Amino acid sequence: MNVAEKKARIIEPETLIGKRIQKMDAPEKASGKTRYIHDINLSGQLYGKILRSGRIHALIKSIDTSAARALPGVHVVITAADIPDQRPIGVAKDHFPLKVGRVRSQRDEIAAVAAESEEIAEAALKLIKVEYEDLPVISNPEDAIKPGAALIHPEPHGADGTHLHLKQGMSIAHKGKPDNIAMRFDYVHGDVIQGEAESDVVIEDTFKLHYVTHCCMGVSGMIAEFDASGNLLMYSNTQVPFLHKREFAEYLNMDPARIRIIQPPIGGGFGSKLDIYPFEVICLYLARAAKRPVKMLFTREEEFLASPTRQPVLLTLRSGCKKDGTLTFRQVHTLHDNGAYTSWGATTPFVMMQTFSSLYRVPHCDYHTAAVYTNNPYAGSFRGYGNLQATFAIEQHMDMLAEKIGMDPLEFRLKNAQDAGETTGQGMSFKSCGFKDCLNTAAQRSDYSRKVKENTANRSKPGNIKRGIGMASMLHVGGGAKIYPSDGCGTILKLDDFANVTLITGASEIGQGSETVLSQLVCEELGLPISAITVVNNDTAITPWDVGVHASRTTFIAGNSAIGAAKKAKTKILAVAAKKYEAAESDLDLRGGFVIKAASGEVVVELSKLLRNLHFQDKAELVMTTFYYEPPSVHQDKGFKGDVSAAYAWGTQVVEVEVDTDTGQVRMTRVTGAHDVGRVLNRLGIEGQIEGGVIMGQGYALTEDLMIENGVMKNPNFRDYKLVTAPEIPEMDISFIESMDGEGPQGAKGVGEAPSICIAAATANAIANATGVRMFELPFTPEKVYRALHGQTPKLYWKPWRAE
Amino acid sequence: MTELKHYFAPTSLDQAVECLKDGDVTILAGGTDLTPQSQAGRIKIKHTLMNIRHIPQLSGITLEGTEIRIGALATITEIMEHPLVKEHLPVLIEACDHFASDQIRNAGTIGGNICNASPAGDTLIPLLVLDACVELASMPESKIYRHCMPLSTFFVGPGKTRKSLCELVTCVRIPLPAPGHVARFYKLGTRPALDISTISIGVGGTLKQGILSNARVAFGAVAPTPTRASQTEQALEGQRLDAATIDKVAAVARDEVKPIDDVRATAWYRKEMIHNITKRILSHVAQA
Ligand SMILES: Cc1cc2nc3c(=O)[nH]c(=O)nc-3n(C[C@H](O)[C@H](O)[C@H](O)COP(=O)(O)OP(=O)(O)OC[C@H]3O[C@@H](n4cnc5c(N)ncnc54)[C@H](O)[C@@H]3O)c2cc1C
């Protein structure tokens, strides 16, 4: 042994946390090689297409599919009559995939075809004859709650004696609903009457939030195939594979064990894949009937017509404070336009009430929502989940109250902002809370207080361009959300004989970068380079259970789960090494692909060599571990109280605008954001997440508007539905507040939804700062702004109303 | 899906106009209007789809005497980059600069923009201001027949022109602007790129010692066709562009247009914008 060889090799400490790590799917996507569901074709596959109503509200008198069935190349044509065991889908089970007896909105599914080609399927749709009898349309939620309003879901066995092919059932789809109220939420803490009595200033305003939709680049689609034994394989873009697998089993009346879901890479989710939609169930019916694989893809127009929207809301907010700037109470009434059927949009109050009750310290809070049926499109979940709407109202009122009492709006917010250690009236307990840091950082970096004053002074000066600055903050779940009895996620981890690790996780990758972050966390624990990992995350036959991608939960929940599995693997490896090299386990560590001495970094053995030894020894062993993480959060009680998330995320965004008073055009020039994310894991990923969220918020604030008139969508295309394009994207200055959450993976908290939440509210405040004019209705399109500037916008008022 | 019965790609003007004789032909240039419109079912492709992109006589941008000739196949990108256009017709570049996106500009042609006859067609407004003429070719007997028509009389309604089914647009001819000629274009939309005009305005004329003569004003998206605004032109003709005149002309412009409500804006807002932007453009011209 010569001297050089003897000299111990030292591995210096290194970390992956906080680094800029390229998303693992980036090279494939950037080079156009990713195979989306659109690129997958199975041999023998047929193409499914759906005939939609086109009518808004009508009885179906008859459907004649004979000509379509006779068309060469058509394999299957189905209507509700062909599926006697149809079960209702949706959050309130008020929705048959194929409509029975009546259509309630423009997108309603009447019939479906599976054919040899898309062209034949489309031609077949044109041959289907449907007779309707039109019914009065309810397109305004205020009309839906008027006494004597027509019912959207009356008892289906109508007096007209139509045969309705309904099996007995207890759901709304089977039994009807005697009023138009799909869901209601009533929450209270404290006593708002007392709060109002203690107030020096009280204001009340109505806010109106519009329809927007996700606009995923990849349109919706699915492929379904039953094998010869009747097992079902689905290629699906779902965000919730395990819960949906169980639901699909119910709809097909089959054993969930015989369903396997594979999730190909997805062309955008943002919440839109959180529910099961009629097209998915219809695709399964077609495949079952055809005994062939069936592929169904939306056209872009269908994507607009038949995708869920963000929840439109009419909201009246009453708020008060004392002269010294202490908030006293908040009273909120909202009318949610539920659309024709109930999806997750109706449940946005779960999130909205948190913002009203707990973003700031409010001693008294009273919150009521009625989600009412109309003949409009129905709303689903969408990044931010009601929080954009709630924040829009609250943060305008924060500015307005501050102005009334003559206080600096930043100071007013700081005075009422939550701190770590507090438990709110709603029972949310803030273990880590960087809210005040967010406020101060965003204000300082944007020079907020100086600009507010300067812009106000400039309002009356000549010139058509007015500058404005506005601020808004947000609170959102950052440690999962216990909306199901469990909020957990499972991990399987295996190391091979080259010390490569395979992470098998229940968490779905939907473009948010979860596989990269989870890989970082595992490699950090095992002292491996990021190149040593493979992630398997898209096959229910392989991956362990998880409740889905939603509520900004994946990094936190799946991250903790992955760390748990990695820790177990590490413990096992170190135990083996300790025994073999006669050291104490606690003196050893893993670093750079080696087992090392923790104190000195001195190499003990190469990890791959140790693993091979383990495999080839007499009593061979593998390093394979599993872990299941369940966060220490609780389900809310009946009064919606409880610590529903294991951690909470905070953020402040400052928006600067230039308003052209000649045209009403608003140019967003700069966004300064400060986000309490617990800890930055992948800096590149989190910056992308924030930038994308800001732009989504910008579209909500300024350009995007899904126009619905009498139930008819006026602009189901990208020409007239205006997404933000590159030249409009503002400069961004993003800061991260690292509050190091005690429960979070490496201290991190969820951030997926956060960046889109404040933009509309901050823009409203910026326009008010620029022009002195407050706007209560989105979006701030040039004409809307111009009208408001010229006194052409009647004051919006919706008299608070609550269901009996 | 569009079913094609017959596809023809002539390589000379003769072949093309001959093919057009029976009138049952749909002309394809860049396809940026034709494709979305036929896919949406708004227009039907006729018996023959004729791709005119291989006809050399339809391309190029040249100076012919006192006229600039822009071939029907010139793309928006080619126009923007051409030295003749840069030198003599900067207002056309202004319009091209607000036209769609790079991808569409590379495919979309000026002939297509003209024949699509959208009230919001962006090159049409500067072309009207520049007194452009459209050259049409047909084959009544066995020889090519060409004639020119002022663009100001070419449009009859949305998507409708005075071009007959047997005619092809070969080029636009634009007289070289006189010394002292000034012209401006402004397009208003919800966003700065990739938008259909809510309104657009073109103003031109010869400015000598502060006085504007040969005034031309054209508006887009406020009528069934892109139009010249004769009352506004009259109010402007021979005037010194001082604040009072500008106010007066802007008011005339507002009263002259009769726009409609649609998904992009209400009639009221369009009239307001015609007023405000006319005023803005004239102030810029006055300062030029
Ligand atoms: C995303 C997008 C954005 C757009 N943005 C804009 C915009 O900002 N501003 C704007 O003005 N337009 C816009 N357009 C419309 C379109 O791009 C333009 O009108 C373009 O100039 C059309 O040219 P083309 O060569 O593609 O025409 P084509 O689609 O090939 O033809 C259009 C019509 O003209 C006929 N035609 C074409 N050439 C001739 C000819 N030489 N003789 C006789 N008939 C002919 C065709 O038969 C057809 O009816 C946009 C289109 C898209 C898809």
Side-chain angles (χ1 to χ4, degrees):
Chain A
M1 222 181 254
N2 63 35
V3 184
E5 261 188 329
K6 250 191 97 181
K7 197 175 158 207
R9 187 167 164 202
I10 306 291
I11 310 288
E12 298 298 337
E14 249 189 291
T15 180
L16 291 166
I17 304 302
K19 295 280 157 59
R20 305 177 69 84
I21 297 189
Q22 173 185 285
K23 278 176 71 184
M24 293 166 98
D25 55 358
E28 290 289 295
K29 282 188 174 160
S31 59
K33 288 190 169 160
T34 302
R35 283 195 198 96
Y36 297 96
I37 199 157
H38 317 79
D39 306 308
I40 298 174
N41 292 302
L42 305 185
S43 64
Q45 139 193 315
L46 301 175
Y47 297 83
K49 285 273 170 198
I50 291 172
L51 179 70
R52 299 181 184 280
S53 147
R55 302 298 178 97
I56 308 306
H57 194 193
L59 295 175
I60 305 170
K61 305 301 283 183
S62 69
I63 309 177
D64 178 0
T65 57
S66 51
R69 284 177 209 270
L71 188 71
V74 170
H75 284 241
V76 178
V77 181
I78 52 171
T79 69
D82 300 297
I83 319 284
D85 62 345
Q86 250 201 121
R87 300 212 189 169
I89 63 170
V91 171
K93 301 285 176 246
D94 55 7
H95 193 183
F96 285 117
L98 285 162
K99 304 304 175 267
V100 182
R102 159 192 302 252
V103 291
R104 297 176 177 83
S105 70
Q106 189 182 10
R107 51 78 50 84
D108 276 18
E109 296 78 3
I110 302 283
V113 173
E116 300 278 344
S117 72
E118 264 182 284
E119 288 75 16
I120 296 173
E122 252 164 31
L125 292 186
K126 294 207 179 91
L127 296 174
I128 298 173
K129 290 187 204 73
V130 189
E131 269 186 320
Y132 297 99
E133 180 184 318
D134 283 319
L135 295 168
V137 169
I138 298 185
S139 65
N140 182 342
E142 288 172 85
D143 293 337
I145 53 175
K146 283 189 180 144
L151 294 180
I152 306 292
H153 289 273
E155 170 143 24
H157 298 273
D160 56 297
T162 333
H163 183 48
L164 288 177
H165 313 287
L166 284 179
K167 275 202 167 174
Q168 280 313 101
M170 295 303 290
S171 71
I172 292 176
H174 289 99
K175 304 206 74 105
K177 184 92 171 64
D179 56 30
N180 283 330
I181 297 171
M183 267 195 198
R184 56 179 293 181
F185 293 81
D186 301 285
Y187 165 84
V188 63
H189 78 246
D191 172 4
V192 283
I193 296 174
Q194 186 197 331
E196 181 148 356
E198 290 167 2
S199 307
D200 295 317
V201 171
V202 173
I203 54 175
E204 181 175 296
D205 291 286
T206 297
F207 301 83
K208 195 171 176 189
L209 292 309
H210 63 309
Y211 280 102
V212 293
T213 185
H214 308 73
C215 297
C216 299
M217 261 202 275
V219 289
S220 302
M222 131 140 173
I223 305 173
E225 175 176 28
F226 288 86
D227 72 12
S229 320
N231 299 313
L232 168 62
L233 173 61
M234 289 166 61
Y235 294 87
S236 157
N237 280 337
T238 175
Q239 292 178 222
V240 201
F242 293 94
L243 296 173
H244 281 183
K245 173 172 146 165
R246 182 173 155 181
E247 267 190 62
F248 283 125
E250 235 175 81
Y251 302 146
L252 293 170
N253 206 4
M254 68 188 276
D255 177 0
R258 302 176 67 158
I259 300 183
R260 176 174 178 188
I261 298 181
I262 292 179
Q263 301 158 272
I266 177 173
F270 312 110
S272 63
K273 275 86 178 168
L274 200 61
D275 203 355
I276 287 177
Y277 301 106
F279 86 89
E280 296 170 287
V281 182
I282 290 171
C283 187
L284 297 178
Y285 292 154
L286 288 173
R288 186 172 66 179
K291 300 190 167 61
R292 296 261 291 262
V294 173
K295 177 173 182 174
M296 196 179 271
L297 284 183
F298 276 6
T299 61
R300 178 56 66 184
E301 188 182 12
E302 240 180 340
E303 184 76 9
F304 273 105
L305 287 170
S307 293
T309 69
R310 191 182 286 292
Q311 179 64 53
V313 175
L314 192 61
L315 183 156
T316 297
L317 171 63
R318 194 170 170 81
S319 317
C321 70
K322 295 184 188 168
K323 278 200 197 103
D324 69 357
T326 317
L327 283 174
T328 46
F329 78 98
R330 269 214 186 95
Q331 187 167 35
V332 191
H333 289 84
T334 88
L335 193 60
H336 278 40
D337 185 342
N338 194 60
Y341 305 100
T342 309
S343 179
W344 292 114
T347 71
T348 48
F350 278 120
V351 172
M352 296 176 74
M353 62 175 76
Q354 292 175 355
T355 293
F356 287 108
S357 76
S358 306
L359 170 60
Y360 297 99
R361 253 176 263 118
V362 197
H364 309 285
C365 180
D366 186 34
Y367 176 99
H368 305 278
T369 285
V372 300
Y373 286 119
T374 64
N375 296 115
N376 288 334
Y378 67 90
S381 79
F382 193 167
R383 192 183 201 174
Y385 215 96
N387 211 348
L388 287 78
Q389 296 92 318
T391 304
F392 183 70
I394 281 207
E395 285 289 339
Q396 289 213 62
H397 261 197
M398 290 305 280
D399 264 23
M400 292 163 79
L401 285 171
E403 198 179 327
K404 286 250 178 206
I405 58 168
M407 198 166 180
D408 178 87
L410 171 64
E411 207 181 304
F412 180 55
R413 287 180 170 88
L414 283 166
K415 187 173 171 76
N416 293 289
Q418 302 281 5
D419 275 314
E422 290 188 64
T423 297
T424 76
Q426 207 184 339
M428 298 153 81
S429 141
F430 302 135
K431 282 132 231 154
S432 66
C433 173
F435 187 13
K436 287 182 177 165
D437 285 344
C438 290
L439 280 164
N440 283 321
T441 305
Q444 270 160 27
R445 294 190 67 90
S446 62
D447 203 2
Y448 171 79
S449 294
R450 184 186 66 79
K451 285 182 184 164
V452 168
K453 293 192 192 82
E454 191 179 288
N455 294 333
T456 311
N458 280 341
R459 267 183 222 157
S460 50
K461 293 200 179 140
N464 59 304
I465 301 291
K466 303 290 175 205
R467 291 212 165 82
I469 188 166
M471 158 183 287
S473 298
M474 71 99 217
L475 152 70
H476 206 75
V477 293
K482 202 153 278 183
I483 54 170
Y484 305 109
S486 158
D487 190 24
C489 175
T491 302
I492 302 168
L493 203 72
K494 103 181 158 65
L495 274 96
D496 70 9
D497 47 349
F498 303 102
N500 288 327
V501 54
T502 304
L503 165 67
I504 306 169
T505 173
S508 306
E509 166 71 44
I510 61 165
Q512 82 278 46
S514 72
E515 64 187 11
T516 312
V517 158
L518 298 178
S519 296
Q520 265 178 283
L521 292 169
V522 166
C523 291
E524 180 75 6
E525 217 55 58
L526 297 177
L528 290 171
I530 199 95
S531 56
I533 196 163
T534 304
V535 182
V536 176
N537 57 0
N538 66 351
D539 186 342
T540 58
I542 298 169
T543 59
W545 198 72
D546 173 66
V547 302
V549 185
H550 63 86
S552 306
R553 69 186 283 278
T554 299
T555 293
F556 194 97
I557 306 287
N560 274 331
S561 178
I563 289 178
K567 284 206 159 117
K568 279 167 85 174
K570 181 172 175 176
T571 304
K572 179 161 187 183
I573 293 164
L574 293 186
V576 172
K579 202 164 144 207
K580 191 166 164 76
Y581 296 96
E582 291 171 3
E585 279 167 46
S586 56
D587 289 341
L588 299 177
D589 203 350
L590 298 176
R591 192 183 286 170
F594 295 90
V595 179
I596 53 147
K597 292 187 180 158
S600 61
E602 203 177 304
V603 166
V604 176
V605 62
E606 203 172 339
L607 182 57
S608 56
K609 191 169 164 199
L610 182 74
L611 286 164
R612 281 193 293 275
N613 279 334
L614 198 59
H615 293 174
F616 289 118
Q617 72 185 3
D618 282 351
K619 282 179 165 171
E621 267 193 87
L622 300 173
V623 180
M624 238 168 101
T625 61
T626 64
F627 195 78
Y628 184 74
Y629 175 74
E630 180 67 50
S633 47
V634 299
H635 212 52
Q636 285 180 338
D637 65 16
K638 286 210 168 71
F640 303 106
K641 290 181 183 159
D643 199 13
V644 71
S645 184
Y648 298 90
W650 304 86
T652 299
Q653 286 172 328
V654 174
V655 166
E656 291 172 69
V657 298
E658 284 176 7
V659 183
D660 184 338
T661 55
D662 282 350
T663 62
Q665 283 169 320
V666 176
R667 201 162 78 82
M668 195 175 284
T669 52
R670 194 179 156 87
V671 171
T672 310
H675 289 269
D676 170 11
V677 299
R679 187 175 184 195
V680 175
L681 298 178
N682 181 358
R683 194 165 293 273
L684 194 62
I686 203 166
E687 283 173 1
Q689 191 72 8
I690 302 274
E691 286 164 10
V694 165
I695 296 162
M696 203 166 236
Q698 182 185 9
Y700 187 57
L702 296 182
T703 60
E704 292 181 49
D705 187 7
L706 199 59
M707 300 173 193
I708 315 292
E709 260 178 50
N710 289 323
V712 178
M713 195 175 289
K714 305 304 268 185
N715 56 340
N717 57 65
F718 282 131
R719 186 189 63 201
D720 298 324
Y721 183 97
K722 296 180 197 299
L723 286 172
V724 169
T725 58
E728 299 137 88
I729 296 173
E731 234 181 82
M732 294 184 210
D733 177 294
I734 314 292
S735 305
F736 297 106
I737 307 300
E738 302 199 286
S739 59
M740 296 298 294
D741 190 83
E743 180 67 22
Q746 297 279 0
K749 302 194 271 196
V751 70
E753 297 167 273
S756 61
I757 291 171
C758 302
I759 298 292
T763 304
N765 287 339
I767 293 173
N769 177 236
T771 64
V773 174
R774 279 243 154 242
M775 296 190 56
F776 299 94
E777 187 177 339
L778 284 173
F780 303 140
T781 54
E783 176 160 358
K784 275 233 191 72
V785 174
Y786 186 81
R787 280 182 182 272
L789 295 179
H790 289 77
Q792 296 282 319
T793 310
K795 172 83 180 140
L796 194 63
Y797 185 69
W798 173 62
K799 195 168 177 306
W801 177 90
R802 79 176 69 152
E804 288 308 312
Chain B
M1 186 197 47
T2 331
E3 246 178 80
L4 286 185
K5 291 189 195 71
H6 188 64
Y7 173 80
F8 179 49
T11 52
S12 74
L13 191 57
D14 272 90
Q15 291 171 0
V17 284
E18 167 135 42
C19 169
L20 278 173
K21 267 183 162 174
D22 70 355
D24 201 8
V25 177
T26 298
I27 296 171
L28 169 73
T32 61
D33 277 318
L34 198 61
T35 312
Q37 287 170 7
S38 61
Q39 250 163 23
R42 264 181 291 137
I43 57 161
K44 255 188 109 80
I45 306 278
K46 300 202 178 120
H47 176 79
T48 301
L49 179 69
M50 180 169 79
N51 178 357
I52 58 172
R53 280 201 303 260
H54 302 285
I55 305 173
Q57 293 98 317
L58 299 185
S59 53
I61 300 175
T62 48
L63 186 62
E64 294 187 354
T66 59
E67 281 180 344
I68 292 179
R69 175 195 180 275
I70 302 181
L73 283 178
T75 62
I76 305 304
T77 305
E78 277 164 27
I79 293 170
M80 282 180 82
E81 289 170 357
H82 203 279
L84 275 175
V85 183
K86 280 186 187 161
E87 187 185 342
H88 299 288
L89 312 171
V91 67
L92 190 53
I93 296 193
E94 266 187 275
C96 294
D97 202 23
H98 289 91
F99 195 107
S101 58
D102 284 347
Q103 294 93 324
I104 300 290
R105 288 178 197 175
N106 288 341
T109 64
I110 195 163
N113 204 227
I114 291 170
C115 294
N116 189 53
S118 158
D122 280 323
T123 67
L124 311 181
I125 300 305
L127 289 177
L128 283 170
V129 164
L130 292 167
D131 286 338
C133 283
V134 205
E135 187 184 275
L136 298 157
S138 57
M139 192 176 265
E141 303 291 334
S142 56
K143 267 218 190 89
I144 297 185
Y145 166 71
R146 298 174 200 247
H147 71 115
C148 276
M149 195 187 285
L151 195 66
S152 55
T153 63
F154 185 66
F155 303 111
V156 294
K160 295 207 174 69
T161 68
R162 290 177 52 203
K163 179 181 83 64
S164 83
L165 289 177
C166 310
E167 286 177 317
L168 186 73
V169 169
T170 51
C171 68
V172 275
R173 295 182 178 277
I174 302 164
L176 271 182
H181 186 261
V182 288
R184 286 287 144 77
F185 171 81
Y186 192 96
K187 170 176 176 176
L188 186 87
T190 304
R191 55 185 183 200
L194 255 182
D195 212 348
I196 311 275
S197 298
T198 304
I199 61 136
S200 59
I201 302 185
V203 174
T206 310
L207 195 61
K208 268 191 197 129
Q209 279 132 24
I211 306 230
L212 194 76
S213 56
N214 272 320
R216 294 286 180 273
V217 179
F219 296 136
V222 291
T225 64
T227 49
R228 287 264 299 273
S230 54
Q231 290 166 28
T232 312
E233 287 180 357
Q234 268 166 36
L236 203 51
E237 187 62 40
Q239 299 294 314
R240 177 172 299 280
L241 291 179
D242 53 25
T245 308
I246 290 175
D247 277 350
K248 203 187 102 207
V249 172
V252 171
R254 169 170 45 201
D255 296 341
E256 185 173 9
V257 295
K258 306 262 175 311
I260 54 161
D261 294 346
D262 66 15
V263 288
R264 283 179 271 287
T266 63
W268 176 81
Y269 178 72
R270 287 192 158 105
K271 283 171 92 78
E272 288 288 298
M273 290 308 104
I274 289 289
H275 175 268
N276 295 355
I277 304 297
T278 301
K279 201 168 147 176
R280 182 181 290 183
I281 292 188
L282 289 177
S283 308
H284 285 176
V285 172
Q287 281 154 25

